[in-house]
Amino acid sequence: MPQSRTGRVRVAVLISGAGSNMAALIDAAGQTEASFEVGLVLSNRPDAGGLAVAEAKGVATAVVDHRPFGKDRAAHEQAVQSVLEAHGIEVVALAGYMRLLTPLLVGRWAGRMLNIHPSLLPKYPGLDTHARALAAGDAEAGCTVHLVTEGVDDGPVLGQSAVPIQPDDTPGSLAQRVLAAEHALYPRVLADFCQRP
């Protein structure tokens, strides 16, 4: 894995909302032995709450609003790519980035783009994962960090964390516990990934 002048891999975190996983990654990067640094937080939404969080933590931010591009997703992604290149980014971590990516961006970052998903993949790709796990009567839910490929949530799994389902769980209560597991899993998996030769 190439490294920046600091000896750490430069990571961009892409968000669309509050960015709680992003904050966990930034905090992990602040540890002295961290193998990565968050060089950029980028959002497709100017009102994403995570932008202010990143700025408060001293991380550079950028917005590439998707709306002016209309249905031209490739053009939007080309603009995103230009910002990533300008910041010397080496690995991309998706953290609640609510855009379906095209082969343009996925191909550019093949093997260097990670995502976190709130289920134990291959179970429940896509949305409404917690409600689906409860409806199926599963004993456990959880989260998965995987490499991004052109399919939805089907890239190679890099790490998982299981969360037991309680008898009185609702989708909301289960989501809260899975999110806590995400905040522990994602920094650990990204750190291991960035230590690879």
Side-chain angles (χ1 to χ4, degrees), residues 140-166:
E140 61 183 13
C143 51
T144 303
V145 178
H146 64 95
L147 287 174
V148 175
T149 58
E150 290 184 26
V152 176
D153 301 324
D154 73 347
V157 170
L158 300 177
Q160 292 185 313
S161 181
V163 174
I165 293 177
Q166 306 298 334

Side-chain angles (χ1 to χ4, degrees), residues 47-140:
D47 59 349
L51 293 169
V53 174
E55 289 167 2
K57 292 178 178 289
V59 175
T61 62
V63 175
V64 183
D65 192 339
H66 63 277
R67 291 171 297 185
F69 294 89
K71 294 183 178 180
D72 193 344
R73 289 163 51 208
H76 175 252
E77 290 183 4
Q78 186 57 60
V80 169
Q81 174 66 21
S82 296
V83 175
L84 296 175
E85 289 174 356
H87 285 80
I89 298 304
E90 298 160 296
V91 169
V92 173
L94 305 181
Y97 188 64
M98 304 305 289
R99 298 281 296 168
L100 287 175
L101 300 179
T102 75
L104 186 153
L105 206 58
V106 172
R108 291 274 180 90
W109 293 94
R112 296 185 296 144
M113 180 182 281
L114 287 68
N115 183 48
I116 189 155
H117 181 74
S119 80
L120 295 172
L121 292 173
K123 280 190 169 184
Y124 315 125
L127 302 175
D128 301 319
T129 57
H130 307 304
R132 289 157 69 193
L134 291 173
D138 290 353
E140 61 183 13

Side-chain angles (χ1 to χ4, degrees), residues 19-22 24-25 116 143 178-188:
S20 66
N21 270 307
M22 169 215 72
L25 293 177
I116 189 155
C143 51
V178 170
L179 188 60
E182 291 178 30
H183 294 165
L185 178 68
Y186 209 173
R188 187 171 71 246

